[in-house]
Amino acid sequence: MRFLLRLLGAMWIATLAVTIGFAWLELQEERRELVADLERRAALAADAVREPAERLVGRGARTGYERLLARFARADRAIAIYDDLGGLLAASADVRADLGVISPLVSEALRGTAARTMRVVLGRATWVHVVPLVWEDRSVGAAAVLLDARHLETREWSLWRRTAVRLGVLGLLLTGITFLVVRWSVTQPIARMAAWTRQIKTGKEVAPPPTADASLFGPLAQEVDSLARSLARARIAAEHEARLRLAGESVWTEERLKQFVRVRFDDRPIFVVSNREPVSHMREGRAVRSVRPASGLVTALEPVMLACGGVWVAHGSGGADRDVGARIGLPEGDPQYTLRRVWLDAAEESGYYYGFANEGLWPLCHIVHERPQFRAEDWGHYCAVNEKFARTLLEEMESTPAPILLVQDYHFALLPQMVKRARPDARVALFWHIPWPNFEAFRICPWQHEILLGMLGADLVGFQTQFHCNNFLETVERTIEGRVDWDRFAVVRGDHTAHVLPLPISVAPEFDAPGNGPDRTRLLADLGAEVEFLGIGVDRVDYTKGLPERFRAIRRFFERWPEYRRRVVFVQLASPSRSRIPRYQALLHETEETVRQVNEALAERGWKPVVYHQRHHEHAEIQPWYLHADFCMVTSLHDGMNLVAKEFVVTQQQGDGVLILSRFAGAANDLRDALLVNPYDIDDVAGAVHRAVTMERDERRRRMRRMVSQVQEHSVYRWAAMLLAELDRMPLGVSLARE
Ligand code: ADQ
């Protein structure tokens, strides 16, 4: 109420000032016009009186004045005639008694100049105009015309009256309108928001009310929403912790990781560098959309950053990234950490990312018999981009003492050494997400020395499996000078030691919060299929993921066990990736063509064996497929880990789905209860599909429960904690000599 009164008070004062101001100006204008009219009329009358008056006064006539007055004087116009000494010769009777007030004007006229002004004569406003009378070139007297000017005051009063009425009406309207607007746009939305926050406090997940004016309440709603989400997260974490305590288990959770970082690192920010950014911005018409990329690295690291906070440096690769900014808080609306984008020009991106990293190192490290391409220009870009990222990181870390840096993947093999040289106090870990090949395979790389030296600049080099660690140490031993300490699993070069450790990466123990996705019946209905079994595959379209081989195995399954036709459908969610590289374009074509052939060979009315969705999917879209699938196929020809396998498992916490998993994915070491297959062996994979659909429910349950415990106990929080704990144990302060 007080707000309303204050608002109304301010509006009234403003209205009053403006209305009075304008009325005053209007009044001045009208007065000017009325006075001009009086002036003109008085001058005309004076001109008319002057000639006969001059004749009478000049000749010294004693009579004749009465006639003159009778001719020119009227009810609203009086006349007075003076001699050369200012003596009154004749005057209209009604003003005669008060002519003293015009004597100064008469004197002025006797000096030869006409005089005019407003005077109060007999208590009335009167316009006085006095002209000199001249006879035979000498001043003989003066004639005064007095016009009644009372209408000026009358007009003034009526204007003020009008203004007062106008003010009153305006005031009433303003009060009414303001009252209604405040009620609709402020009081009611605030009441709705208050009701909403009350509901949130009880722990319910309620959507914010529609805000009447988004520009007014949008930011507030956003803040409250983000606060609610933080509260919800904290509540879930606390419940989780409590459950774990009850179960007496020592599982790593987001909260536990947060506490760990707080205690060990005194809440210092963590710096992460990766090529892929956790969120990119794309333009869609005039709007900008945030996209979470299909990337195992992002899937794994985002929960860690949410838990620990810090700065994530990555390539700003989205079409609208530059419009959104080089530094943003993520998640948008509820920022927990900072994304710092590094811009690359087309030549840099093409040489470093598409060229050296993905046409060189990627096939070099995956044994899929794809020939790596090594080009000197690509290498030049790779070195320059590593330096660019190193510079950005050094800038970001400038004010942080002993910063912790987690370098991600094969895009930044040179960066650990670059950073460590400039900041010997930094603790640097490099995590290699993809496999490390054997020495024979690696030595075809023309820049093998530089790559190894760059990597060994880190204090800790992590791989997905022990096998990859062994391959790496063997490669180091046979390629560069330095002592490989097999007992400690470390490489000692001068004063610096790089420790090498297997740290199998994982996912968060929950795959997003359970949303309101479609149920199984709805999912199948959308496919237009009435089937008993749903199989699912979720992959980037990459030749390491074995997609064409997978579809051929599915075809074999239906050929060998035709009784399953119309009873099983396999849905593949495939996200196109690196599609500027010709090999990936060819793969896209090959994959689509294989699906087409399988469907052409087997499809029947109302059923086709493979449903292929080739586009990027949000996690919320993928989740229902994981949840309702009877089996999930991960048939990579070679894979560092493969997080799709683990995502499927954590989504199936209450389920009994079967995981068919390639033996050549790092995940096969962790998920021993999956049906392990050789993806090159079509019959083996077809047999696994058959086993999946015929397996007893109890066995499916048992297997899935064991895999769920494995992933929950070895979540990405544990991965991060182990990585950070190992890093914390490293001795510090050693500067790297230049090679
Ligand atoms: P990737 O090969 O990118 O990463 P992978 O482990 O296969 O990663 O995970 C792929 C991620 O992309 C998953 O989170 C999945 O949900 C998502 N994804 C797949 N298809 C998608 C689609 N159609 N739409 C949207 N999202 C999709 C590298 C290594 C892996 C290693 C990870 C993490 O190659 O071996 O497991 O890093 O270390």
Side-chain angles (χ1 to χ4, degrees):
M1 196 62 187
R2 208 185 288 166
F3 162 72
L4 188 62
L5 286 180
R6 242 182 272 151
L7 183 68
L8 281 173
M11 286 169 79
W12 283 334
I13 290 173
T15 316
L16 202 72
V18 170
T19 316
I20 291 182
F22 276 103
W24 187 81
L25 287 177
E26 203 181 319
L27 187 77
Q28 293 307 311
E29 183 59 31
E30 192 161 332
R31 201 183 162 82
R32 242 191 320 278
E33 277 170 20
L34 288 175
V35 168
D37 179 59
L38 282 172
E39 205 173 319
R40 188 179 46 79
R41 276 168 44 217
L44 283 175
D47 272 354
V49 169
R50 183 160 56 198
E51 213 191 299
E54 279 173 345
R55 221 178 301 125
L56 285 174
V57 179
R59 286 185 187 147
R62 299 245 162 251
T63 58
Y65 294 106
E66 290 311 316
R67 229 173 322 117
L68 184 86
L69 291 180
R71 194 168 142 209
F72 291 104
R74 288 199 325 235
D76 62 341
R77 183 168 73 196
I79 307 286
I81 310 291
Y82 294 87
D83 61 18
D84 57 348
L85 296 174
L88 184 66
L89 296 173
S92 306
D94 44 353
V95 295
R96 182 181 284 274
D98 198 16
L99 282 179
V101 292
I102 71 165
S103 308
L105 303 179
V106 174
S107 310
E108 204 178 322
L110 289 176
R111 284 196 294 276
T113 30
R116 55 191 165 261
T117 192
M118 190 71 88
R119 282 280 185 270
V120 177
V121 180
L122 288 169
R124 297 190 304 239
T126 306
W127 180 257
V128 184
H129 188 118
V130 190
V131 288
L133 300 177
V134 178
W135 183 254
E136 290 173 353
D137 292 335
R138 82 192 155 81
S139 172
V140 290
V145 175
L146 294 93
L147 293 184
D148 187 351
R150 272 177 303 178
H151 61 287
L152 250 73
E153 280 167 6
T154 322
R155 295 285 275 272
E156 219 167 274
W157 272 114
S158 92
L159 184 85
W160 283 124
R161 257 199 319 276
R162 269 203 320 271
T163 303
V165 172
R166 218 184 283 163
L167 247 174
V169 173
L170 213 62
L172 277 177
L173 273 177
L174 265 180
T175 310
I177 291 171
T178 311
F179 182 76
L180 290 178
V181 169
V182 167
R183 213 179 141 80
W184 282 330
S185 315
V186 183
T187 323
Q188 283 176 354
I190 284 184
R192 277 201 294 267
M193 292 209 15
W196 172 53
T197 40
R198 268 198 302 281
Q199 276 177 304
I200 286 176
K201 264 201 314 209
T202 63
K204 281 187 212 149
E205 233 189 75
V206 203
T211 40
D213 182 350
S215 64
L216 187 62
F217 293 107
L220 181 64
Q222 230 172 32
E223 281 305 314
V224 178
D225 202 26
S226 96
L227 197 70
R229 262 183 281 145
S230 308
L231 276 176
R233 260 216 310 275
R235 183 176 290 130
I236 290 168
E239 281 168 6
H240 209 88
E241 289 287 332
R243 270 206 308 276
L244 292 173
R245 265 200 297 281
L246 282 178
E249 290 177 51
S250 65
V251 169
W252 281 89
T253 59
E254 181 180 345
E255 193 49 37
R256 188 167 164 201
L257 179 62
K258 261 187 209 164
Q259 295 303 335
F260 172 80
V261 172
R262 209 161 283 162
V263 171
R264 285 283 181 104
F265 299 101
D266 222 3
D267 245 352
R268 253 178 297 155
I270 289 179
F271 296 89
V272 166
V273 57
S274 71
N275 172 71
R276 180 67 70 220
E277 52 182 346
V279 168
S280 49
H281 289 96
M282 304 292 180
R283 201 155 275 295
E284 258 184 12
R286 293 171 73 194
V288 170
R289 191 165 68 93
S290 319
V291 182
R292 182 195 163 113
S295 151
L297 183 151
V298 170
T299 304
L301 280 174
E302 172 128 75
V304 177
M305 288 309 270
L306 286 175
C308 306
V311 182
W312 186 333
V313 176
H315 171 208
S317 56
D321 279 0
R322 283 177 201 256
D323 303 333
V324 176
R327 246 173 166 278
I328 55 171
L330 288 179
E332 287 157 289
D334 181 19
Q336 310 282 322
Y337 67 93
T338 304
L339 166 64
R340 167 73 197 271
R341 287 169 166 153
V342 175
W343 311 120
L344 299 181
D345 62 31
E348 286 172 327
E349 189 180 4
S350 153
Y352 135 85
Y353 177 71
Y354 289 105
F356 194 76
N358 285 318
E359 286 190 294
L361 289 178
W362 178 265
L364 179 73
C365 292
H366 288 92
I367 305 169
V368 288
H369 309 286
E370 177 67 28
R371 181 187 287 184
Q373 310 283 329
F374 291 116
R375 291 177 285 258
E377 318 87 89
D378 291 350
W379 170 247
H381 283 302
Y382 186 81
C383 298
V385 170
N386 268 249
E387 256 171 39
K388 196 178 213 181
F389 272 81
R391 275 199 303 278
T392 309
L393 273 164
L394 290 170
E395 197 182 298
E396 288 290 333
M397 301 190 313
E398 206 170 1
S399 53
T400 309
I404 307 150
L405 170 60
L406 309 181
V407 182
Q408 304 301 315
D409 233 356
Y410 60 100
H411 309 91
F412 297 113
L414 309 179
L415 194 135
Q417 189 188 36
M418 292 170 174
V419 170
K420 195 74 182 176
R421 270 191 185 139
R423 288 292 302 266
D425 64 325
R427 292 173 190 269
V428 180
L430 165 64
F431 189 76
W432 200 262
H433 290 253
I434 61 177
W436 188 271
N438 64 34
F439 158 70
E440 289 287 330
F442 186 72
R443 72 176 174 162
I444 67 166
C445 175
W447 297 282
Q448 53 192 301
H449 287 93
E450 290 85 340
I451 288 177
L452 291 177
L453 292 176
M455 293 172 74
L456 290 171
D459 300 293
L460 174 65
V461 182
F463 291 98
Q464 304 275 22
T465 68
Q466 182 64 56
F467 186 63
H468 300 153
C469 295
N470 296 353
N471 276 351
F472 179 72
L473 283 184
E474 202 180 314
T475 309
V476 171
E477 195 164 48
R478 299 176 67 165
T479 312
I480 58 165
E481 271 181 37
R483 186 167 61 81
V484 172
D485 181 340
W486 284 96
D487 289 337
R488 287 195 299 149
F489 252 77
V491 181
V492 184
R493 299 187 65 254
D495 286 342
H496 181 72
T497 303
H499 295 258
V500 177
L501 261 188
L503 286 163
I505 205 163
S506 191
V507 291
E510 319 276 337
F511 183 69
D512 285 348
N516 301 323
D519 60 15
R520 184 184 159 96
T521 322
R522 178 74 202 282
L523 272 186
L524 293 176
D526 285 353
L527 294 177
E530 280 179 31
V531 290
E532 285 167 55
F533 301 98
L534 170 65
I536 177 77
V538 180
D539 301 78
R540 283 190 302 107
V541 184
D542 192 297
Y543 50 77
T544 60
K545 306 289 180 189
L547 289 171
E549 290 79 356
R550 184 181 305 169
F551 300 132
R552 283 197 276 273
I554 289 169
R555 176 174 185 167
R556 181 66 55 88
F557 161 73
F558 286 114
E559 284 167 353
R560 277 179 65 186
W561 292 282
E563 66 274 23
Y564 281 98
R565 294 185 188 188
R566 307 191 72 95
R567 291 171 62 195
V568 177
V569 68
F570 183 77
V571 175
Q572 177 66 51
L573 310 183
S575 175
S577 140
R578 306 172 193 168
S579 16
R580 272 171 54 182
I581 300 176
R583 175 65 183 94
Y584 282 80
Q585 289 160 10
L587 177 72
L588 274 172
H589 180 70
E590 186 191 346
T591 309
E592 284 167 328
E593 189 51 26
T594 314
V595 172
R596 197 190 59 72
Q597 284 167 5
V598 174
N599 283 338
E600 195 174 87
L602 300 171
E604 296 170 8
R605 252 187 89 198
W607 171 80
K608 56 180 176 177
V610 179
V611 175
Y612 184 63
H613 291 305
Q614 188 182 280
R615 67 170 172 87
H616 180 83
H617 292 74
E618 293 303 321
H619 266 186
E621 288 179 287
I622 300 176
Q623 199 219 22
W625 295 104
Y626 280 149
L627 191 63
H628 300 302
D630 297 290
F631 63 95
C632 173
M633 294 183 82
V634 174
T635 54
S636 316
L637 304 181
H638 200 192
D639 219 331
M641 174 55 63
N642 195 292
L643 296 183
V644 170
K646 295 189 173 181
E647 285 171 357
F648 175 62
V649 167
V650 290
T651 315
Q652 286 269 336
Q653 279 173 41
Q654 313 300 327
D656 53 12
V658 177
L659 175 64
I660 298 171
L661 177 60
S662 162
R663 322 181 158 274
F664 309 133
N669 289 336
D670 299 339
L671 304 172
R672 311 298 302 182
D673 280 288
L675 299 182
L676 297 184
V677 294
N678 173 355
Y680 290 94
D681 182 348
I682 303 289
D683 279 298
D684 186 25
V685 180
V689 175
H690 184 251
R691 239 190 114 190
V693 295
T694 51
M695 194 184 284
E696 287 299 321
R697 187 151 187 246
D698 276 355
E699 184 180 350
R700 292 199 313 255
R701 275 240 155 119
R702 256 197 323 274
R703 282 172 180 265
M704 185 47 88
R705 261 208 303 273
R706 281 197 295 258
M707 289 194 286
V708 169
S709 317
Q710 204 285 341
V711 180
Q712 288 195 323
E713 279 168 32
H714 296 83
S715 69
V716 72
Y717 300 125
R718 182 176 186 276
W719 172 83
M722 296 300 126
L723 180 67
L724 292 167
E726 287 298 332
L727 207 49
D728 191 33
R729 287 196 310 124
M730 306 289 157
L732 266 188
V734 179
S735 55
L736 294 178
R738 286 198 174 267
E739 296 299 323

